[in-house]
């Protein structure tokens, strides 16, 4: 149901993790995700811990799903000295080509415990249906 648009994005993500660089608007970091089918819907879950819902942007244009998010540093007050900073900051993005069999008009999005979950219904035209053969004339009738 999904097509990866850039096979080297995963390698970029690993290099960014090892080098400690954060994503920018011109070159965002990749966010980890899971994708699976559950009943009559396709589910995609993105890990975005520490990101507020206001900092998440979800767009669909034709069959291209784009999710962007930004995690900013927490406000530092006077007298605070950072001892360790391992949580990635910056801009995160993921683009996914969705199959024509998905109903992009009815995508639902939920955000809970740092996980953005998108539910995309399977389009009616893509669901299996019975084809009945009519009487002696051999006419076929599609039911669905």
């Amino acid at each position: 149901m999904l097509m990866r648009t850039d096979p080297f994005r995963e390698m970029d993500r690993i290099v960014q993790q090892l080098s400690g660089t954060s994503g920018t608007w011109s070159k965002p970091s990749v966010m980890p995700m899971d994708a699976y089918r559950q009943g009559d819907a396709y589910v995609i879950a993105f890990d975005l811990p520490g990101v507020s819902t206001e900092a998440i942007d979800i767009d669909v244009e034709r069959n291209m799903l784009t999710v962007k998010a930004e995690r900013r540093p927490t406000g530092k007050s006077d007298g605070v000295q950072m001892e360790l900073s391992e949580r990635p900051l910056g801009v995160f993005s993921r683009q996914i080509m969705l199959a024509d069999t998905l109903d992009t008009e009815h995508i639902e999005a939920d955000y809970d415990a740092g996980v953005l979950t998108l539910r995309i219904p399977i389009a009616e035209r893509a669901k299996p249906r019975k084809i009945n053969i009519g009487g002696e004339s051999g006419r076929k009738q599609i039911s669905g």
Side-chain angles (χ1 to χ4, degrees):
M1 295 274 179
L2 300 178
M3 292 183 355
R4 291 186 182 241
T5 56
D6 185 354
F8 299 103
R9 298 262 328 213
E10 186 65 17
M11 285 187 56
D12 286 344
R13 184 186 68 80
I14 292 169
V15 168
Q16 285 176 344
Q17 277 184 327
L18 295 174
S19 66
T21 59
S22 59
T24 63
W25 284 106
S26 60
K27 186 158 175 60
S29 297
V30 176
M31 63 188 83
M33 67 171 237
D34 291 334
Y36 53 92
R37 183 173 176 164
Q38 184 177 38
D40 284 341
Y42 207 72
V43 180
I44 306 173
F46 299 93
D47 279 350
L48 293 171
V51 176
S52 69
T53 55
E54 295 81 28
I56 300 173
D57 187 37
I58 307 167
D59 291 312
V60 176
E61 185 176 340
R62 295 190 185 141
N63 286 4
M64 181 64 73
L65 172 72
T66 303
V67 177
K68 276 192 172 183
E70 183 177 14
R71 183 181 307 124
R72 295 185 175 127
T74 56
K76 296 179 185 174
S77 60
D78 292 337
V80 174
Q81 180 180 344
M82 184 62 78
E83 295 292 330
L84 179 65
S85 179
E86 293 182 344
R87 297 173 56 214
L89 301 173
V91 179
F92 304 88
S93 179
R94 197 76 184 244
Q95 282 192 314
I96 302 165
M97 181 67 77
L98 302 175
D100 290 332
T101 57
L102 298 176
D103 184 0
T104 58
E105 297 292 321
H106 296 97
I107 297 175
E108 296 177 4
D110 294 308
Y111 186 64
D112 184 40
V115 178
L116 173 66
T117 304
L118 303 180
R119 295 186 189 289
I120 310 168
I122 306 293
E124 287 297 320
R125 68 182 181 279
K127 293 179 183 175
R129 59 188 184 273
K130 285 268 190 210
I131 299 174
N132 297 322
I133 299 174
E136 295 178 292
S137 65
R139 289 181 301 173
K140 293 183 182 178
Q141 182 180 27
I142 299 174
S143 64

